[in-house]
């Protein structure tokens, strides 16, 4: 049984072939970074047009790499939200045409859920685990009970952490996507040079960790960087990048590890594009070891957007979509699970 999975929620056109026993036969990602780089952010109109041009060649490439043909497919899975509406529609329309021409089931996949469970593709994990999804569109902390059940502990209240990386990179004129540029520049900088705030870590002396609330906020750090750049003449960009990176990563690491302790959960997983950040991975490993927790990351190609995670997630979804399936740009992470209310921390 082979599923063709499609992911076009933002600016990467992705197709993968995944078997029902979770083997990833191929995973192709066509990045649009060059198109959006001059604007230092994703231009939705350009993204959808590019998906339209790319989707067929990318599907063909995924089939070729897996040495399979359209006739071998037993299902098609597609991200239907959340994301940019024009981008999502390209994937949904392509999935529908494959469903109709091949007469196979179509499986609707929630992009955030795919990031959550992406860590399981390469690692065998024991439930429950605590999951942090840190991407360009989302920052969410969850307790995962199994493939059907999870509870949301906290969200970002404003910018997603990847969005903060992208906006700070824009202020520093580094290019898009911002995360990898900041990470590179930060290698030459001093992370203690500028004491940027750690919003939502409050309580004791400076930032403290008296957090019964697991929400995040990143727009304040971004604004602090803006004022720092505005008010100082001799700026060392590497110091700013390193200090910003340390500040946001501190928030992610401390809140998540604290949540694991509060909830009595042994294993922490981190997914989404920001999980590719080396400094974040190291900080998580150090802090988790101090607190006797395990922390697990997907390999970097499974952190950023890809269709392998869509195919993997589809293997656990019993729902089948008809031709009325539509893009849902504001789909939340509450779609497919039976939420156990007592697991939700308000
Ligand atoms: O998961 P993803 O590919 O797409 C969304 O679902 O949003 O995440 C993209 C985000 C971008 O904001 C990008 O700057 C960030 O992930 N990112 C990174 C790194 N690589 C990608 N942030 C920090 N360090 C990185 N190495
Ligand atoms: Zn994503």
């Amino acid at each position: 049984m082979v599923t063709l999975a499609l992911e076009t929620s933002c600016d990467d056109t992705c197709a993968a072939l995944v078997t029902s026993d979770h083997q990833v036969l191929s995973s192709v990602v066509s990045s649009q970074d060059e198109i959006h780089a001059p604007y230092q952010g994703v231009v939705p109109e350009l993204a959808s047009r590019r998906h339209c041009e790319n989707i067929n060649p990318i599907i063909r490439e995924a089939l070729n790499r897996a040495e399979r043909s359209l006739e071998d497919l037993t299902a098609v899975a597609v991200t239907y939200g959340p994301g940019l509406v024009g981008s999502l529609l390209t994937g949904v329309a392509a999935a529908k045409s494959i469903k109709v021409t091949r007469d196979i089931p179509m499986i609707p996949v929630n992009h955030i859920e795919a990031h959550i469970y992406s860590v399981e593709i390469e690692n065998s994990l024991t439930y429950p685990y605590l999951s942090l999804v840190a991407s360009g569109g989302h920052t969410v902390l969850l307790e995962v009970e199994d493939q059907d059940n999870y509870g949301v502990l906290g969200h970002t209240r404003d910018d997603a952490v990847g969005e903060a990386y992208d906006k700070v990179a824009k202020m520093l004129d580094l290019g898009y996507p911002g995360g990898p540029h900041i990470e590179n520049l930060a290698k030459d900088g001093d992370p203690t040079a500028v004491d940027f705030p750690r919003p939502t870590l409050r309580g004791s002396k400076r930032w403290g960790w008296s957090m019964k609330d697991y929400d995040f906020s990143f727009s304040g750090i971004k604004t602090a960087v803006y004022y720092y750049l505005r008010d100082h003449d001799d700026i060392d960009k590497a110091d700013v990048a390193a200090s910003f990176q340390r500040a946001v990563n501190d928030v992610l690491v401390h809140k998540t590890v604290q949540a694991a302790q509060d909830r009595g959960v042994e294993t922490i997983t981190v997914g989404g594009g920001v999980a590719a950040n080396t400094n974040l991975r190291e900080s998580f490993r150090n802090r988790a070891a101090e607190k006797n927790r395990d922390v697990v990351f997907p390999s970097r190609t499974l952190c950023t957007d890809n269709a392998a995670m869509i195919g993997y997630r589809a293997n656990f979804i019993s729902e089948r979509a008809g031709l009325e399936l539509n893009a849902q740009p504001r789909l939340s992470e509450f779609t497919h699970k039976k939420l156990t209310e007592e697991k939700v921390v308000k």
Side-chain angles (χ1 to χ4, degrees):
M1 305 278 273
V2 187
T3 299
L4 168 68
L6 304 178
E7 155 60 45
T8 61
S9 66
C10 190
D11 60 336
D12 293 320
T13 317
C14 316
L17 263 73
V18 181
T19 65
S20 49
D21 59 352
H22 318 313
Q23 301 305 307
V24 178
L25 302 180
S26 64
S27 179
V28 183
V29 177
S30 170
S31 157
Q32 300 184 3
D33 290 352
E34 275 178 28
I35 294 172
H36 303 287
Y39 308 93
Q40 306 212 39
V42 176
V43 183
E45 173 78 16
L46 297 180
S48 359
R49 285 167 185 261
R50 190 56 172 216
H51 283 310
C52 255
E53 290 164 16
N54 273 352
I55 189 84
N56 282 344
I58 294 304
I59 291 172
R60 176 57 54 204
E61 181 66 20
L63 289 166
N64 288 347
R65 285 194 203 170
E67 299 182 351
R68 297 288 197 285
S69 69
L70 280 173
E71 288 70 33
D72 296 319
L73 302 177
T74 50
V76 58
V78 63
T79 305
Y80 72 112
L84 301 171
V85 67
S87 294
L88 290 164
L89 282 170
T90 318
V92 168
K96 284 183 187 181
S97 46
I98 290 168
K99 169 185 165 50
V100 170
T101 49
R102 298 305 317 146
D103 193 21
I104 52 176
M106 178 167 60
I107 307 167
V109 177
N110 176 319
H111 182 83
I112 307 172
E113 289 186 353
H115 274 304
I116 298 170
Y117 291 102
S118 65
V119 190
E120 295 182 8
I121 299 175
E122 302 161 312
N123 302 282
S124 72
L125 300 173
T126 313
Y127 296 113
Y129 60 79
L130 207 88
S131 164
L132 172 69
V133 174
S135 74
H138 306 275
T139 307
V140 53
L141 190 58
L142 313 104
E143 188 169 329
V144 181
E145 289 172 47
D146 54 39
Q147 277 282 350
D148 290 322
N149 299 286
Y150 56 80
V152 175
L153 303 178
H155 272 283
T156 180
R157 295 189 183 179
D158 39 56
D159 292 6
V161 61
E163 194 179 348
Y165 266 100
D166 293 337
K167 287 178 177 165
V168 167
K170 188 171 181 174
M171 289 178 214
L172 294 171
D173 205 16
L174 299 180
Y176 175 82
H181 287 289
I182 293 205
E183 176 172 353
N184 272 339
L185 186 61
K187 287 177 192 149
D188 302 322
D190 172 6
T192 63
V194 191
D195 189 19
F196 289 126
R198 272 74 168 158
T200 73
L201 290 189
R202 53 181 178 263
S204 72
K205 276 200 297 190
R206 267 201 323 169
W207 316 298
W209 348 109
S210 72
M211 311 157 293
K212 283 301 162 209
D213 145 23
Y214 299 114
D215 281 350
F216 299 94
S217 165
F218 294 104
S219 69
I221 306 184
K222 177 193 70 185
T223 309
V225 175
Y226 173 80
Y227 285 126
Y228 182 84
L229 295 175
R230 190 194 64 180
D231 297 340
H232 292 80
D233 291 329
D234 285 329
I235 305 281
D236 182 328
K237 284 189 182 184
D239 282 351
V240 175
S243 301
F244 164 77
Q245 178 175 265
R246 170 73 68 87
V248 286
N249 289 353
D250 268 358
V251 174
L252 294 173
V253 169
H254 283 281
K255 282 209 121 165
T256 307
V257 176
Q258 182 70 52
Q261 287 181 271
D262 294 347
R263 311 286 301 171
V265 177
E266 300 290 326
T267 305
I268 296 166
T269 68
V270 191
V274 180
N277 185 277
T278 305
N279 176 267
L280 182 73
R281 292 162 95 100
E282 279 169 9
S283 306
F284 253 119
R285 288 205 176 95
N286 293 339
R287 182 79 184 166
E290 274 169 34
K291 302 293 174 188
N292 294 318
R293 312 281 147 180
D294 289 330
V295 61
V296 187
F297 298 88
S299 55
R300 283 182 171 75
T301 48
L302 288 174
C303 290
T304 46
D305 286 348
N306 65 88
M309 68 180 186
I310 305 302
Y312 176 80
R313 176 69 190 143
N315 281 337
F316 298 90
I317 294 176
S318 52
E319 190 185 347
R320 298 291 176 260
L323 291 180
E324 69 287 352
L325 180 69
N326 207 344
Q328 291 200 29
R330 302 187 71 79
L331 185 69
S332 82
E333 60 284 342
F334 288 98
T335 320
H336 285 291
K337 79 195 167 310
K338 293 163 246 138
L339 185 71
T340 40
E341 282 299 332
E342 69 277 12
K343 287 284 182 186
V344 182
V345 176
K346 295 278 182 207

